[in-house]
mmCIF file with all atom_site columns, all heavy atoms in Angstrom:
data_model
loop_
_atom_site.group_PDB
_atom_site.id
_atom_site.type_symbol
_atom_site.label_atom_id
_atom_site.label_alt_id
_atom_site.label_comp_id
_atom_site.label_asym_id
_atom_site.label_entity_id
_atom_site.label_seq_id
_atom_site.pdbx_PDB_ins_code
_atom_site.Cartn_x
_atom_site.Cartn_y
_atom_site.Cartn_z
_atom_site.occupancy
_atom_site.B_iso_or_equiv
_atom_site.pdbx_formal_charge
_atom_site.auth_seq_id
_atom_site.auth_comp_id
_atom_site.auth_asym_id
_atom_site.auth_atom_id
_atom_site.pdbx_PDB_model_num
ATOM 1  N N   . PHE A 1 24 ? 20.994 -22.613 -5.721  1.00 97.00 ? 1220 PHE A N   1
ATOM 2  C CA  . PHE A 1 24 ? 19.973 -22.315 -6.693  1.00 97.00 ? 1220 PHE A CA  1
ATOM 3  C C   . PHE A 1 24 ? 18.775 -23.223 -6.536  1.00 97.00 ? 1220 PHE A C   1
ATOM 4  O O   . PHE A 1 24 ? 17.615 -22.808 -6.630  1.00 97.00 ? 1220 PHE A O   1
ATOM 5  C CB  . PHE A 1 24 ? 20.539 -22.408 -8.124  1.00 97.00 ? 1220 PHE A CB  1
ATOM 6  C CG  . PHE A 1 24 ? 19.539 -22.055 -9.167  1.00 97.00 ? 1220 PHE A CG  1
ATOM 7  C CD1 . PHE A 1 24 ? 19.097 -20.747 -9.339  1.00 97.00 ? 1220 PHE A CD1 1
ATOM 8  C CD2 . PHE A 1 24 ? 19.000 -23.031 -9.998  1.00 97.00 ? 1220 PHE A CD2 1
ATOM 9  C CE1 . PHE A 1 24 ? 18.160 -20.427 -10.296 1.00 97.00 ? 1220 PHE A CE1 1
ATOM 10 C CE2 . PHE A 1 24 ? 18.066 -22.720 -10.994 1.00 97.00 ? 1220 PHE A CE2 1
ATOM 11 C CZ  . PHE A 1 24 ? 17.645 -21.417 -11.137 1.00 97.00 ? 1220 PHE A CZ  1
ATOM 12 N N   . GLU A 1 25 ? 19.038 -24.508 -6.259  1.00 97.00 ? 1221 GLU A N   1
ATOM 13 C CA  . GLU A 1 25 ? 17.947 -25.479 -6.055  1.00 97.00 ? 1221 GLU A CA  1
ATOM 14 C C   . GLU A 1 25 ? 17.063 -25.081 -4.873  1.00 97.00 ? 1221 GLU A C   1
ATOM 15 O O   . GLU A 1 25 ? 15.837 -25.110 -4.945  1.00 97.00 ? 1221 GLU A O   1
ATOM 16 C CB  . GLU A 1 25 ? 18.507 -26.889 -5.838  1.00 97.00 ? 1221 GLU A CB  1
ATOM 17 C CG  . GLU A 1 25 ? 17.427 -27.933 -5.698  1.00 97.00 ? 1221 GLU A CG  1
ATOM 18 C CD  . GLU A 1 25 ? 17.996 -29.327 -5.539  1.00 97.00 ? 1221 GLU A CD  1
ATOM 19 O OE1 . GLU A 1 25 ? 19.230 -29.478 -5.365  1.00 97.00 ? 1221 GLU A OE1 1
ATOM 20 O OE2 . GLU A 1 25 ? 17.193 -30.271 -5.591  1.00 97.00 ? 1221 GLU A OE2 1
ATOM 21 N N   . GLU A 1 26 ? 17.694 -24.648 -3.793  1.00 97.00 ? 1222 GLU A N   1
ATOM 22 C CA  . GLU A 1 26 ? 16.935 -24.172 -2.629  1.00 97.00 ? 1222 GLU A CA  1
ATOM 23 C C   . GLU A 1 26 ? 16.147 -22.930 -2.973  1.00 97.00 ? 1222 GLU A C   1
ATOM 24 O O   . GLU A 1 26 ? 14.994 -22.761 -2.512  1.00 97.00 ? 1222 GLU A O   1
ATOM 25 C CB  . GLU A 1 26 ? 17.871 -23.897 -1.450  1.00 97.00 ? 1222 GLU A CB  1
ATOM 26 C CG  . GLU A 1 26 ? 18.508 -25.151 -0.868  1.00 97.00 ? 1222 GLU A CG  1
ATOM 27 C CD  . GLU A 1 26 ? 19.607 -24.800 0.147   1.00 97.00 ? 1222 GLU A CD  1
ATOM 28 O OE1 . GLU A 1 26 ? 20.628 -24.234 -0.242  1.00 97.00 ? 1222 GLU A OE1 1
ATOM 29 O OE2 . GLU A 1 26 ? 19.374 -25.103 1.334   1.00 97.00 ? 1222 GLU A OE2 1
ATOM 30 N N   . LEU A 1 27 ? 16.748 -22.040 -3.735  1.00 97.00 ? 1223 LEU A N   1
ATOM 31 C CA  . LEU A 1 27 ? 16.074 -20.812 -4.158  1.00 97.00 ? 1223 LEU A CA  1
ATOM 32 C C   . LEU A 1 27 ? 14.811 -21.171 -4.960  1.00 97.00 ? 1223 LEU A C   1
ATOM 33 O O   . LEU A 1 27 ? 13.730 -20.639 -4.695  1.00 97.00 ? 1223 LEU A O   1
ATOM 34 C CB  . LEU A 1 27 ? 16.990 -19.946 -5.014  1.00 97.00 ? 1223 LEU A CB  1
ATOM 35 C CG  . LEU A 1 27 ? 16.365 -18.735 -5.709  1.00 97.00 ? 1223 LEU A CG  1
ATOM 36 C CD1 . LEU A 1 27 ? 15.882 -17.718 -4.679  1.00 97.00 ? 1223 LEU A CD1 1
ATOM 37 C CD2 . LEU A 1 27 ? 17.345 -18.097 -6.674  1.00 97.00 ? 1223 LEU A CD2 1
ATOM 38 N N   . GLU A 1 28 ? 14.964 -22.089 -5.917  1.00 97.00 ? 1224 GLU A N   1
ATOM 39 C CA  . GLU A 1 28 ? 13.798 -22.498 -6.719  1.00 97.00 ? 1224 GLU A CA  1
ATOM 40 C C   . GLU A 1 28 ? 12.712 -23.080 -5.851  1.00 97.00 ? 1224 GLU A C   1
ATOM 41 O O   . GLU A 1 28 ? 11.534 -22.751 -6.025  1.00 97.00 ? 1224 GLU A O   1
ATOM 42 C CB  . GLU A 1 28 ? 14.218 -23.560 -7.755  1.00 97.00 ? 1224 GLU A CB  1
ATOM 43 C CG  . GLU A 1 28 ? 14.965 -23.033 -8.911  1.00 97.00 ? 1224 GLU A CG  1
ATOM 44 C CD  . GLU A 1 28 ? 15.328 -24.110 -9.918  1.00 97.00 ? 1224 GLU A CD  1
ATOM 45 O OE1 . GLU A 1 28 ? 15.824 -25.167 -9.505  1.00 97.00 ? 1224 GLU A OE1 1
ATOM 46 O OE2 . GLU A 1 28 ? 15.099 -23.890 -11.113 1.00 97.00 ? 1224 GLU A OE2 1
ATOM 47 N N   . ASP A 1 29 ? 13.081 -23.951 -4.885  1.00 97.00 ? 1225 ASP A N   1
ATOM 48 C CA  . ASP A 1 29 ? 12.090 -24.564 -4.008  1.00 97.00 ? 1225 ASP A CA  1
ATOM 49 C C   . ASP A 1 29 ? 11.370 -23.512 -3.187  1.00 97.00 ? 1225 ASP A C   1
ATOM 50 O O   . ASP A 1 29 ? 10.158 -23.592 -3.007  1.00 97.00 ? 1225 ASP A O   1
ATOM 51 C CB  . ASP A 1 29 ? 12.779 -25.551 -3.084  1.00 97.00 ? 1225 ASP A CB  1
ATOM 52 C CG  . ASP A 1 29 ? 13.241 -26.845 -3.799  1.00 97.00 ? 1225 ASP A CG  1
ATOM 53 O OD1 . ASP A 1 29 ? 12.763 -27.062 -4.924  1.00 97.00 ? 1225 ASP A OD1 1
ATOM 54 O OD2 . ASP A 1 29 ? 14.042 -27.572 -3.196  1.00 97.00 ? 1225 ASP A OD2 1
ATOM 55 N N   . ARG A 1 30 ? 12.081 -22.537 -2.650  1.00 97.00 ? 1226 ARG A N   1
ATOM 56 C CA  . ARG A 1 30 ? 11.457 -21.505 -1.832  1.00 97.00 ? 1226 ARG A CA  1
ATOM 57 C C   . ARG A 1 30 ? 10.534 -20.639 -2.662  1.00 97.00 ? 1226 ARG A C   1
ATOM 58 O O   . ARG A 1 30 ? 9.410  -20.324 -2.222  1.00 97.00 ? 1226 ARG A O   1
ATOM 59 C CB  . ARG A 1 30 ? 12.537 -20.663 -1.152  1.00 97.00 ? 1226 ARG A CB  1
ATOM 60 C CG  . ARG A 1 30 ? 13.180 -21.399 -0.009  1.00 97.00 ? 1226 ARG A CG  1
ATOM 61 C CD  . ARG A 1 30 ? 14.138 -20.580 0.777   1.00 97.00 ? 1226 ARG A CD  1
ATOM 62 N NE  . ARG A 1 30 ? 13.557 -19.333 1.264   1.00 97.00 ? 1226 ARG A NE  1
ATOM 63 C CZ  . ARG A 1 30 ? 14.294 -18.388 1.842   1.00 97.00 ? 1226 ARG A CZ  1
ATOM 64 N NH1 . ARG A 1 30 ? 15.590 -18.520 1.986   1.00 97.00 ? 1226 ARG A NH1 1
ATOM 65 N NH2 . ARG A 1 30 ? 13.730 -17.272 2.230   1.00 97.00 ? 1226 ARG A NH2 1
ATOM 66 N N   . GLN A 1 32 ? 9.061  -21.398 -5.463  1.00 95.00 ? 1228 GLN A N   1
ATOM 67 C CA  . GLN A 1 32 ? 7.916  -22.220 -5.869  1.00 95.00 ? 1228 GLN A CA  1
ATOM 68 C C   . GLN A 1 32 ? 6.932  -22.356 -4.698  1.00 95.00 ? 1228 GLN A C   1
ATOM 69 O O   . GLN A 1 32 ? 5.721  -22.267 -4.861  1.00 95.00 ? 1228 GLN A O   1
ATOM 70 C CB  . GLN A 1 32 ? 8.358  -23.602 -6.356  1.00 95.00 ? 1228 GLN A CB  1
ATOM 71 C CG  . GLN A 1 32 ? 7.254  -24.402 -6.954  1.00 95.00 ? 1228 GLN A CG  1
ATOM 72 C CD  . GLN A 1 32 ? 7.737  -25.700 -7.521  1.00 95.00 ? 1228 GLN A CD  1
ATOM 73 O OE1 . GLN A 1 32 ? 8.608  -26.382 -6.956  1.00 95.00 ? 1228 GLN A OE1 1
ATOM 74 N NE2 . GLN A 1 32 ? 7.211  -26.087 -8.671  1.00 95.00 ? 1228 GLN A NE2 1
#
Side-chain angles (χ1 to χ4, degrees):
F1220 182 70
E1221 183 178 10
E1222 291 171 294
L1223 172 65
E1224 285 182 312
D1225 289 344
R1226 286 186 53 189
Q1228 188 175 40

